[in-house]
Amino acid sequence: MPLPARLFLLITATLLVGALYGYVRFVNAQAFERRELPVVYAQFLLESATQTGGKVIIESGSNSKHAIVPDILADYFEAPVITVAQNAGYPLLPKLYNLLHHVEAGDVIVLPLEWNLYADDAVLSTDFLAAISRPESSMTHYYDALPPWERGRFLLTQYPLQEAVSSIRAMTDPLEFARENLATASGIQTRLWSDGRWAWGNTESRDNNANVAPAVGRLSCNDYVFASQQRNNFRISSEFRRALSALDRLREKGAQIFFTWPAVVDSPDSPCYRDAAFMATVQAYAGDIRAMLQAAGYPMLGDYRDSHFTARCFVDTYYHITSACARERTRALLANLRAAGAEPIRARTGPRAFLRTAERRLDAMRPALLAPLEPTLPAVSRVTAQTLETDVLLSGGWAMPEERGTWSLGWRSTLVLRLPPELASAERLRLRIRGDYFNGVEKTGVQIGSTDRGRHVLQNKVLWISQAQLDGDLLRLQLTHEDVRSPYELGRSDDQRKLKFMLRELVIKPAPKRGQGRKHRKREVNVGET
C-alpha cells in the first residue's frame, strides 16, 4: 500500500478512536446522576456492610424478594443477610460487579437466578435503561460498579445514543435533587427501624393477588418463565459466560458462592413445568447449566422442581410466592446450604447491631444532605400538620407527614425551622409543642440547639428559649424517645415502623414582657412551662 494511503488510514483510525474515546468520556460524565446516598435501600445496606466480619448476600431478580425470608438465614449464619435482588430484567454482569466492591472474605453469596438470566443476550431492557438514566437515576450504582473497560463497552455497544441524549438533557434541579435525597434518607431510616424481613433489603411480603401482572394473563407459565430460552433456542448466553469471570473475582476475595434455582409458582389458570416434551428440553437445559457451573467450581443446590409451588402460593407473577410459602422455601434452601457445607459465619457485627451501624452511617451523611436545603426554608412562626412537609426540614427520625401530623421513627427525631426576623432577634421565645403518643405517654427528651432541656410530656408543652439556643435564625430541635414499638410488634397491624410521638403543631411566639408572666400563666391551664 502506498505511503499516503497508509498515512490516511492511520489518521482516520486515530481520529475515530479519539472520537469514540471522547464520546465515552462525555457520556460517562454527563449522562448519569451520581448519588452519595443510594436510592435503593438494599444498596445502602450493602455499602454499609463492608466491615461486618461476614454477611450473606442474596442476588437475583425479584423472585428472591418474595421467596426468601432473611431472618431464617440470619438465625443460622449469625450474620446480617442482605437481599440485594432487583428486577430480573436487569443484566447480571453489573449486579455481580456491584457486589465486588462490597464483598469481604467469609461472605456467603446465594444466587437464585431466574431462568432468563442464563439466556439473556446483551440487549438492555427498557426498565433498566430508565433506572440508570435521568430523570429516575435509581440504579446508577450498577453502571458505576463497572470497571473502566466494561463501561466503555457498555456505552459503545449497549447504551443507546438516544437514551444518552435524553439523560443529558434531563438535568436535575439541584434543590429538587436535595429534596429527593432527604426523602430517600427518611425512607431508609423507616426500613432500618422496621421489624422482620422488611429491614433486610429488597424483601417483600404479600399474600394477595389483587394486582396480577398483565403478562400473566397473556402468557402461560412456561412461555413467561422460558421466554428468553425460546428466543435463543435454549442456549446459555455469552453474557452469562462473561458473568462467570466476575464471579471468579468474587471468589478470589474469599466469598463462598452458591447457585440455586428460582421459586416458580403456578397461577390459578396456568400450571408451570407442564408438557412432557417441552420439559424434556428444560431438563436438558438445566443439566447444561449445572455442568457449566460444576466445571467452573460453583455448586448448584437442589433440583429446579423442588422450588416449584402450586397455585396456593401465587401472588401476582409466576415468580412471586406468598410469605407462608416463602418460609417453606427458605427452610428448604437452608437445608441445601448446610448440606453443601455452608457453616455459620458468626460475624463480628450481628444482624441487629449491623442495622444500628448502618443508621450511624446515615446520620453522618445528614449534614451534607441538609446543607443545600436549609437556606431555602421559609420563615415561619407556626407549623401545623398540613405545613410540616413544606415549612420544616424533617432532618431525621420522622416518617412521611400524614393528615394529623408526622410520627417519630426510632429513638431520635430532629428538625430544623427558620424564624422570622422579629423572633430570631428576640431575647426570649416561647415554644409550644403539641402532639400525641403511640402505645402510652412518656416523657420525651428535648434538646434545642446544643442545650439539653430535660424530659417532658409533649402533648401540649410550652418551653422557653433564649436567643443563645438558636443557630442564627434557625431553630434546631431534637427529641429522644424511650419505648419505641411498632404496631406490627404489638399485633395491631402490619405497620412495621417503630413509633412513639406524633408531632402535630409547633408555635413560636415572643416571650411575655416582665410583669406579664403571672397573668399569662393563669391562661395556660394544664400546660407545663419550662
Side-chain angles (χ1 to χ4, degrees):
M1 183 181 294
L3 180 61
R6 290 202 302 270
L7 287 174
F8 174 77
L9 289 176
L10 179 61
I11 292 170
T12 301
T14 302
L15 290 174
L16 179 60
V17 169
L20 293 175
Y21 177 73
Y23 172 79
V24 167
R25 289 202 61 181
F26 180 75
V27 175
N28 178 71
Q30 299 297 324
F32 303 103
E33 198 76 67
R34 267 65 187 203
R35 297 177 183 268
E36 182 181 357
L37 180 64
V39 174
V40 177
Y41 173 68
Q43 182 66 18
F44 173 80
L45 288 185
L46 191 63
E47 293 176 7
S48 303
T50 54
Q51 295 182 341
T52 58
K55 56 187 172 289
V56 179
I57 300 171
I58 302 164
E59 178 62 284
S60 70
S62 63
N63 92 90
S64 294
K65 296 167 67 172
H66 295 265
I68 293 179
V69 182
D71 282 0
I72 294 175
L73 300 181
D75 287 345
Y76 171 73
F77 283 102
E78 299 179 36
V81 177
I82 304 173
T83 304
V84 188
Q86 290 287 351
N87 190 318
Y90 296 173
L92 181 60
L93 191 64
K95 292 184 176 189
L96 298 181
Y97 272 117
N98 182 50
L99 298 186
L100 191 60
H101 291 274
H102 309 294
V103 160
E104 55 188 334
D107 287 354
V108 171
I109 301 173
V110 183
L111 301 171
L113 302 184
E114 283 82 352
W115 287 99
N116 67 285
L117 289 171
Y118 295 102
D120 281 346
D121 53 26
V123 177
L124 300 176
S125 69
T126 54
D127 286 347
F128 183 71
L129 290 173
I132 65 171
S133 306
R134 294 192 186 94
E136 184 177 332
S137 299
S138 60
M139 301 290 170
T140 312
H141 54 271
Y142 281 142
Y143 169 76
D144 286 337
L146 296 173
W149 65 90
E150 288 288 357
R151 287 194 198 182
R153 176 182 178 275
F154 177 87
L155 293 178
L156 292 175
T157 66
Q158 292 181 279
Y159 195 58
L161 175 61
Q162 182 179 358
E163 191 72 34
V165 172
S166 297
S167 186
I168 291 169
R169 294 177 63 183
M171 296 295 287
T172 307
D173 175 77
L175 285 179
E176 185 60 32
F177 185 66
R179 293 188 189 99
E180 289 176 5
N181 284 336
L182 191 60
T184 296
S186 177
I188 287 173
Q189 187 163 31
T190 299
R191 299 193 68 162
L192 287 171
W193 277 98
S194 67
D195 288 305
R197 60 195 299 208
W198 203 40
W200 296 111
N202 294 331
T203 53
E204 295 186 28
S205 176
R206 286 186 285 169
D207 295 312
N208 65 78
N209 54 6
N211 297 305
V212 175
V216 171
R218 296 194 307 269
L219 299 173
S220 71
C221 179
N222 284 351
D223 286 343
Y224 180 98
V225 169
F226 296 106
S228 296
Q229 280 77 9
Q230 293 184 74
R231 281 197 302 270
N232 74 1
N233 199 28
F234 280 83
R235 290 193 302 271
I236 299 174
S237 71
S238 59
E239 286 298 295
F240 180 76
R241 296 171 192 273
R242 292 181 67 242
L244 288 179
S245 64
L247 277 180
D248 291 342
R249 296 182 64 186
L250 286 166
R251 184 167 54 187
E252 288 167 5
K253 293 190 72 173
Q256 284 185 283
I257 300 168
F258 299 91
F259 281 80
T260 189
W261 302 102
V264 173
V265 59
D266 301 340
S267 78
D269 301 316
S270 179
C272 302
Y273 296 166
R274 297 289 175 90
D275 184 330
F278 183 82
M279 291 312 299
T281 304
V282 170
Q283 179 71 16
Y285 186 70
D288 291 343
I289 292 171
R290 186 184 296 275
M292 176 180 287
L293 294 177
Q294 185 175 2
Y298 298 110
M300 170 61 86
L301 306 181
D303 187 290
Y304 68 89
R305 288 163 293 200
D306 296 335
S307 296
H308 172 220
F309 295 84
T310 64
R312 70 181 174 85
C313 299
F314 180 80
V315 176
D316 57 0
T317 84
Y318 297 113
Y319 276 127
H320 296 172
I321 62 177
T322 63
S323 57
C325 295
R327 300 191 74 81
E328 175 186 332
R329 188 264 199 286
T330 307
R331 285 191 288 268
L333 171 62
L334 179 56
N336 285 335
L337 286 166
R338 296 181 69 172
E343 298 181 350
I345 295 172
R346 298 188 177 92
R348 290 190 304 270
T349 305
R352 296 296 167 185
F354 164 65
L355 294 179
R356 302 289 74 80
T357 299
E359 185 180 29
R360 287 192 291 273
R361 176 172 176 257
L362 181 64
D363 287 343
M365 300 171 76
R366 288 191 191 280
L369 299 178
L370 294 173
L373 294 174
E374 288 184 354
T376 70
L377 279 171
V380 296
S381 58
R382 180 171 181 253
V383 179
T384 67
Q386 289 69 43
T387 61
L388 274 167
E389 199 164 8
T390 57
D391 291 355
V392 174
L393 270 182
L394 299 172
S395 47
W398 300 100
M400 294 300 293
E402 303 172 14
E403 184 178 353
R404 293 175 50 245
T406 185
W407 283 109
S408 64
L409 291 175
W411 305 111
R412 185 174 67 256
S413 308
T414 58
L415 61 82
V416 183
L417 61 88
R418 184 179 302 281
L419 301 177
E422 63 273 17
L423 293 179
S425 60
E427 183 179 347
R428 209 159 168 252
L429 298 173
R430 180 175 175 271
L431 168 65
R432 181 190 294 276
I433 304 175
R434 286 195 175 97
D436 298 314
Y437 285 89
F438 173 73
N439 192 42
V441 175
E442 71 175 25
K443 288 188 174 181
T444 303
V446 179
Q447 181 175 313
I448 299 174
S450 59
T451 304
D452 183 354
R453 300 301 305 273
R455 306 192 71 84
H456 309 278
V457 174
L458 300 181
Q459 289 169 307
N460 190 8
K461 178 67 181 176
V462 171
L463 296 166
W464 302 102
I465 305 174
S466 69
Q467 191 182 60
Q469 293 168 6
L470 301 178
D471 180 7
D473 60 354
L474 298 178
L475 189 155
R476 301 184 186 276
L477 177 65
Q478 176 176 288
L479 306 180
T480 54
H481 319 284
E482 291 185 344
D483 184 24
V484 294
R485 304 286 184 92
S486 70
Y488 174 84
E489 186 179 3
L490 298 172
R492 300 183 186 181
S493 74
D494 291 333
D495 187 349
Q496 297 184 14
R497 298 174 300 170
K498 296 277 193 177
L499 311 176
K500 190 59 204 181
F501 179 69
M502 172 175 271
L503 177 62
R504 298 180 60 188
E505 185 182 42
L506 295 170
V507 180
I508 306 99
K509 294 181 178 180
K513 295 180 181 179
R514 296 191 181 278
Q516 295 180 338
R518 182 184 300 275
K519 180 179 177 181
H520 174 78
R521 278 192 291 272
K522 287 181 180 178
R523 295 197 300 269
E524 300 293 342
V525 180
N526 295 326
V527 176
E529 297 190 14
T530 304

